[in-house]
Amino acid sequence: MQTDNMEVPALNHINTNSIKQKLGANGKDGFRNQRKDSEGSMESPNLEFEYGDADSATAELSELYSYTEEPEFNLNREYFEEDFRRYVKERKWAELKWEEQKAHVMRLLDALEVTNREKRLKIARAILYLAQGVFGECCCEEEVLYWSRSNVFLLYEMGIFTALLELLTMEIENSQACSSAVRKPAVSLADSTELRVLLSIMYLMVEVMRQEVDEDRPEWKSTRQAFKTELGGPLYNGEPFALLLFTMVTKFCSMNAPHFPMKKVLLLLWKTALFTLGGFEDLQHIKVCARGRWALPPLPEDPLQVVRVMRAASPPASAMELIEQQQKRGRRSRRSAYVDSLEGDKKQPLMKQDSLDTYNERDPFKNDDTRDEDEEAEDAEGPLEAELDPLDRDVIIQPPPMPPPLRPPSERVSFPRGLPWAPKVRERDIEHFLEMSRNKFIGFTLGSDTETLVGLPRPIHESVKTLKQHKYVSMAEVQIKREEELQQCPMTLGEEDVEETPAEILYQGMLPNLSQYVVSIHTHTHTHTHTHQPLSVCDIDARPWDFQAEECALRESIERFNTRRYDRSQPSAFTPVDNCLQSVLGHQVALPQDFPFSYELWLQREVFSQPIHWEGLLQAH
């Protein structure tokens, strides 16, 4: 869509850039080559993929809109200019001073609180146009992104997000709209207009303010932190904002609100969780800090840096592909056996080598392309050779195939030699190894003792030494051990001090309906992605009774943890009681105001007039 010789960057990115990336530099030829590479072997080719929290800013903004919403861009601009020209006649939005822009946003905020639904929608579209970067006044994509960022921070400072949250809650609780959508055989864009506008504005505000740019103003950094704290805390009705979005997902999946725009809801939920809880780098920092608090050695590697240089994983193979691969290996083995039988004395004995040593001595990915191309060459044999058995025909000596052309150095990907991850050994692995070794060599075990090596041969000593060098204690093991101690000694250890982090606040709010949220998210994702994976071997051999005991034990442990940590409604049976007489008598007791005037009557009625049977006490003893 073009407006005044200016292309909307979001739609332009979807329509042109993404298609060019899919087709490649050579159009259909690039797509044909990619398809040939993927069909030639079981493993997928190297992909131009960056492992991170999110894509670029333009790609994430483009993900918000669909092609059916393209006419609404002009509609947003018209409503904004209609209201803007009533106060500013000749100048543009970019020409206004900061105070003038704040004044106009304040007028929009006041108009957003009107009761007229149609007028409120027009004002919301005008605000959406500001969040979209007033693209009608810009001449390039950089200007649109700049004004979108500037306007978003202005909107938040003027309290627009809080007003949008109230309107969103009203639309969610609008029973008339929900019942009308349920009765319709199919919902349309008109049924979710207000929700889509509100969610689009909120998504733009969250996504733009989430990203930190070097050109940001100094005051924007504190504004970003305030917005992050507000989203992660009890924003509305004592609950975080993400919990409201989870409620929308459950209502939609239960068919109580089919008009909810789930794409925008899930995108906003994802970016809200990413903003408040942090991404991969924040998670790595939290892990390092947590291991330091528990006096554990630092992590042997940074998982984020490791996965960024790993080769892209291929999808799981289907049953037909596994059968074809076995047939290829069978043909190659029969052909090699026949050639070896003809060579006679020239036949070399088979050499056996440990696969782990081979993996450590060479790059595991260095010869993947050569192996794939060799398999393609074998598959491209003539029909005569494929149909005749090697034992029923003469030896056909063919010249070796031409070596494949080397790839340009720029396309080669360098991988670390050996295993990509540092070896990690648990304490139970060492105990299990020593238990097997002691049973084999000395005939008895020593329980969990991993220090005594008496009676074991020297190679076992070296093996244990190597295992201990790679011993790794995870945070999960420490937390499980701590939880077991809290369950066993509740009076000695007391209650655990839980830090009120955004993750804790969100989990505590989700806990009463956690199973519904999980089922709703899984149902919506599975229903709308249409992916089928084959069973493995604003899976077939697994039996359910093999893991039922572990499932029940795990569920019981989780329930105990949640009850102990988050269930504050019921008083604990292990609450300490003050049974000291002096301490109890020294407590200040709140007495009625008229008690000083009537305490004599109270003593006469409650103390002196009540007979005390001292004989009964003597008889009891």
Side-chain angles (χ1 to χ4, degrees), residues 346-539:
K346 297 182 180 180
K347 181 178 179 181
Q348 299 294 331
L350 297 177
M351 301 298 293
K352 183 177 181 181
Q353 188 174 10
D354 190 8
S355 59
L356 183 59
D357 296 338
T358 306
Y359 188 87
N360 289 329
E361 290 176 0
R362 67 179 182 89
D363 190 350
F365 303 109
K366 185 169 69 173
N367 296 327
D368 281 355
D369 298 332
T370 306
R371 182 179 66 254
D372 296 343
E373 292 169 353
D374 292 340
E375 292 178 1
E376 291 179 3
E378 292 174 358
D379 295 339
E381 295 174 349
L384 179 62
E385 184 178 0
E387 294 176 0
L388 297 178
D389 190 86
L391 300 178
D392 298 334
R393 62 181 178 180
D394 296 335
V395 179
I396 301 177
I397 302 178
Q398 298 180 352
M402 295 296 294
L406 296 178
R407 295 185 176 180
S410 60
E411 297 183 2
R412 289 185 174 272
V413 182
S414 59
F415 294 91
R417 297 178 62 85
L419 295 174
W421 304 96
K424 299 181 180 63
V425 180
R426 299 174 299 177
E427 181 71 19
R428 67 179 64 179
D429 297 331
I430 302 178
E431 295 176 0
H432 182 65
F433 175 76
L434 284 175
E435 182 180 1
M436 296 178 59
S437 302
R438 287 164 179 159
N439 282 329
K440 180 178 180 181
F441 292 103
I442 60 180
F444 62 90
T445 61
L446 298 179
S448 59
D449 184 8
T450 59
E451 301 297 331
T452 305
L453 303 178
V454 178
L456 298 177
R458 188 64 184 176
I460 301 298
H461 289 226
E462 297 296 331
S463 300
V464 173
K465 180 181 178 180
T466 304
L467 291 175
K468 289 184 177 181
Q469 289 177 352
H470 299 286
K471 181 181 177 180
Y472 174 76
V473 180
S474 64
M475 283 298 303
E477 297 178 13
V478 176
Q479 292 171 348
I480 291 175
K481 184 178 180 181
R482 173 64 176 174
E483 182 63 23
E484 292 176 351
E485 294 176 352
L486 289 173
Q487 294 287 350
Q488 294 175 359
C489 307
M491 299 184 64
T492 305
L493 299 178
E495 295 184 356
E496 183 181 7
D497 295 332
V498 182
E499 184 180 0
E500 291 295 326
T501 61
E504 288 289 343
I505 295 175
L506 179 59
Y507 182 78
Q508 188 172 358
M510 295 175 58
L511 189 58
N513 302 317
L514 184 60
S515 59
Q516 297 182 11
Y517 298 145
V518 174
V519 173
S520 300
I521 293 292
H522 174 74
T523 303
H524 179 78
T525 306
H526 179 73
T527 305
H528 291 78
T529 51
H530 301 286
T531 57
H532 301 279
Q533 295 184 357
L535 292 176
S536 63
V537 178
C538 123
D539 301 329

Side-chain angles (χ1 to χ4, degrees), residues 192-369:
S192 61
T193 302
E194 292 81 1
L195 286 172
R196 287 188 294 105
V197 173
L198 297 176
L199 291 172
S200 297
I201 302 174
M202 302 175 88
Y203 176 87
L204 291 174
M205 295 183 68
V206 172
E207 176 61 16
V208 170
M209 297 184 68
R210 181 186 67 86
Q211 300 177 0
E212 187 174 358
V213 183
D214 297 335
E215 294 78 12
D216 284 349
R217 302 172 185 174
E219 60 270 16
W220 286 359
K221 295 183 179 180
S222 58
T223 304
R224 177 187 299 105
Q225 185 62 35
F227 188 37
K228 178 180 180 181
T229 305
E230 183 180 2
L231 286 180
L235 182 60
Y236 188 80
N237 289 338
E239 297 176 347
F241 177 61
L243 196 62
L244 179 64
L245 301 177
F246 273 113
T247 305
M248 296 184 66
V249 177
T250 54
K251 293 187 67 174
F252 174 84
C253 293
S254 60
M255 298 304 296
N256 293 326
H259 64 294
F260 283 180
M262 270 300 102
K263 176 183 176 182
K264 297 183 185 297
V265 173
L266 292 177
L267 286 175
L268 181 56
L269 176 59
W270 166 38
K271 293 306 175 64
T272 302
L274 184 60
F275 187 25
T276 57
L277 306 182
F280 290 112
E281 296 180 357
D282 300 309
L283 177 61
Q284 179 67 13
H285 177 71
I286 294 175
K287 287 182 178 179
V288 173
C289 296
R291 294 185 66 85
R293 288 196 303 267
W294 289 96
L296 295 176
L299 293 172
E301 73 276 318
D302 187 352
L304 183 60
Q305 299 298 330
V306 173
V307 297
R308 280 177 174 172
V309 298
M310 289 179 64
R311 189 172 185 267
S314 60
S318 61
M320 185 59 64
E321 291 175 342
L322 292 175
I323 295 176
E324 292 178 356
Q325 186 183 28
Q326 293 177 357
Q327 292 177 351
K328 292 178 183 178
R329 292 176 179 174
R331 290 197 300 267
R332 287 197 298 269
S333 61
R334 289 196 302 268
R335 185 161 49 248
S336 60
Y338 177 65
V339 173
D340 291 342
S341 64
L342 294 178
E343 290 182 356
D345 297 336
K346 297 182 180 180
K347 181 178 179 181
Q348 299 294 331
L350 297 177
M351 301 298 293
K352 183 177 181 181
Q353 188 174 10
D354 190 8
S355 59
L356 183 59
D357 296 338
T358 306
Y359 188 87
N360 289 329
E361 290 176 0
R362 67 179 182 89
D363 190 350
F365 303 109
K366 185 169 69 173
N367 296 327
D368 281 355
D369 298 332

Side-chain angles (χ1 to χ4, degrees), residues 98-99 101-107 109 151-163 205:
W98 182 259
E99 292 77 11
Q101 292 179 349
K102 290 177 61 177
H104 186 71
V105 173
M106 182 60 69
R107 288 192 292 265
L109 181 60
N151 295 339
V152 161
F153 277 94
L154 175 60
L155 294 175
Y156 175 73
E157 292 176 1
M158 301 305 296
I160 292 293
F161 191 86
T162 305
M205 295 183 68

